[in-house]
Amino acid sequence: MNAESDKTSLGESPTPDRLLHAGSEGEYTAEDLVLASGRDVNPKSLAWAERRMAEKGRASLDELLP
């Protein structure tokens, strides 16, 4: 038996899609957008995030998240 078949025999299954993906269903801040983009939180990146949020709304975060 290989390791892959051992996992299957133990009842493990792939993680459901709903648990892997995050969205912007709730409230989010400019800091959330900066962090999702992989940038450092600083005044310049926060200003970028605020402009992007004003321009694109919720899509600004949805575009960055899986």
Side-chain angles (χ1 to χ4, degrees):
M1 253 193 209
N2 63 30
E4 200 61 40
S5 62
D6 288 343
K7 286 183 181 179
T8 305
S9 66
L10 295 175
E12 291 185 24
S13 60
T15 304
D17 213 30
R18 65 184 167 76
L19 297 177
L20 292 174
H21 295 268
S24 58
E25 296 88 22
E27 294 296 317
Y28 66 100
T29 64
E31 184 175 348
D32 295 329
L33 187 58
V34 169
L35 293 172
S37 72
R39 300 172 187 218
D40 291 329
V41 178
N42 58 50
K44 184 177 178 181
S45 63
L46 289 171
W48 164 83
E50 289 170 359
R51 287 191 308 273
R52 188 172 170 109
M53 289 169 61
E55 180 184 316
K56 297 187 174 201
R58 288 201 178 281
S60 62
L61 188 58
D62 285 337
E63 292 173 349
L64 296 173
L65 297 175

